[in-house]
Amino acid sequence: MFKNLFSWSKRVKKLDPDKIPEHVAIIMDGNGRWAQKRGLPRTAGHQKGVQTLKEICYACGELGIKYLTVYAFSTENWYRPTSEVNFLMELFKKAMRNEIGELEENNVRVRILGRRQGVDPDILAEIDRVEERTCKNDGLILSICFNYGGRAEIVDAVKKILSKYHFHESIDEEYFKEFLYTHGLPDVELLIRTGGEQRLSNFLLYQSAYAELVFTNVFWPDFTKKDLVDAIYEFQNRERRFGRIGKV
Ligand code: IPE
Ligand code: IPE
Ligand code: MG
């Protein structure tokens, strides 16, 4: 235990406290392969993945990250076998129900981002409950992307704008952001994908325009707060240019 504590603080010490990313986003991938490697059903990986999310969420708080946005279920994940989709729906519902107390205690504000259409009313009720119960918390803002697609989000934003305005002069990039599910959140600075794939899979397309991407082969259920620190370390050692010449 002491060894663990020691290696954690040693790792954190290598970070520059003035350059902690404000907004970290994670594509939590590799649950199925994690389970299959152990001869377990894919669902066991999803179950373990919930524990990982808890650990990472509190580590983000400790590190001073203000916004954590995670990808839990995509608009394309409905095309998986019904048994897996049903399991994921139940797991999401149960996780929200079971974790609400701890999230409240830890001052975490939860937002669920995605399309409500097509989601079971039971789940929508849990979403409303968790958002309402945590809305006054002013610690970490945890946004969980559920029934989320980056393209769907942009299309939905356009629809909202069209239903409100008949002119377009005032619409610019900053203003457009306020119509996305992520309204109020700053751009993603660091985007981590676990599980070895190097793609966005329709995640935060607008918000990640200048995010630093960090890919790791670690499957999500095995991802630890040490891996998180390593990803932040890599972020801190990148040169961000935003199209300019030299460091910004
Ligand atoms: C990510 O893990 C979780 C969801 C997409 C719900 P996967 O289920 O995609 O796991 P792999 O990528 O098949 O291993
Ligand atoms: C992205 O992972 C979605 C989530 C992690 C929720 P996928 O496993 O669905 O992505 P692909 O199919 O490998 O692109
Ligand atoms: Mg996957």
Side-chain angles (χ1 to χ4, degrees), residues 6 17 20 30-31 52-53 67 70 73 91 97 121 135 151 166 206 214 234:
F6 182 63
I20 297 291
N31 293 351
T52 305
L53 177 56
Y67 308 94
V70 296
F73 191 86
L91 183 66
R97 220 174 262 168
C135 74
R151 287 181 173 176
H166 300 289
Y206 195 93
V214 172
E234 183 163 343

Side-chain angles (χ1 to χ4, degrees), residues 190-194 212-216 230-231 234-235 238:
L190 167 61
L191 190 152
I192 302 167
R193 181 171 186 147
T194 62
E212 292 301 325
L213 311 181
V214 172
F215 299 104
T216 164
D230 290 347
E234 183 163 343
F235 166 84
R238 298 265 180 96

Side-chain angles (χ1 to χ4, degrees), residues 27-33 42 46 77 80 84 193-195 197 199 201:
I27 302 176
M28 309 183 289
D29 195 28
N31 293 351
R33 281 165 289 156
R42 290 176 53 85
H46 297 314
N77 288 149
R80 293 187 176 198
E84 181 162 337
R193 181 171 186 147
T194 62
E197 310 299 352
R199 53 180 171 251
S201 302

Side-chain angles (χ1 to χ4, degrees), residues 1 30 40 70 75 79 81 91 97 115 121 140-141 159 174 229 235-236 243:
M1 187 205 170
L40 299 168
V70 296
T75 45
Y79 300 110
L91 183 66
R97 220 174 262 168
R115 267 195 186 153
L140 178 80
I141 297 191
K159 283 185 184 163
E174 283 305 309
V229 171
F235 166 84
Q236 293 189 336

Side-chain angles (χ1 to χ4, degrees), residues 41-123:
R42 290 176 53 85
T43 49
H46 297 314
Q47 194 111 40
K48 178 79 170 36
V50 175
Q51 294 312 309
T52 305
L53 177 56
K54 276 179 68 174
E55 181 181 331
I56 295 306
C57 180
Y58 299 131
C60 282
E62 270 179 68
L63 292 167
I65 291 161
K66 290 193 183 133
Y67 308 94
L68 172 66
T69 303
V70 296
Y71 206 5
F73 191 86
S74 75
T75 45
E76 290 73 45
N77 288 149
W78 292 107
Y79 300 110
R80 293 187 176 198
T82 315
S83 57
E84 181 162 337
V85 170
N86 288 344
F87 182 89
L88 286 166
M89 293 298 140
E90 272 307 302
L91 183 66
F92 182 69
K93 196 161 75 183
K94 276 191 210 143
M96 281 195 297
R97 220 174 262 168
N98 296 340
E99 303 305 333
I100 197 164
E102 208 177 312
L103 288 163
E104 270 191 310
E105 269 168 41
N106 285 281
N107 200 22
V108 176
R109 177 171 176 194
V110 182
R111 285 172 63 171
I112 312 293
L113 313 181
R115 267 195 186 153
R116 290 174 74 92
Q117 196 191 341
V119 177
D120 200 86
D122 274 9
I123 297 181

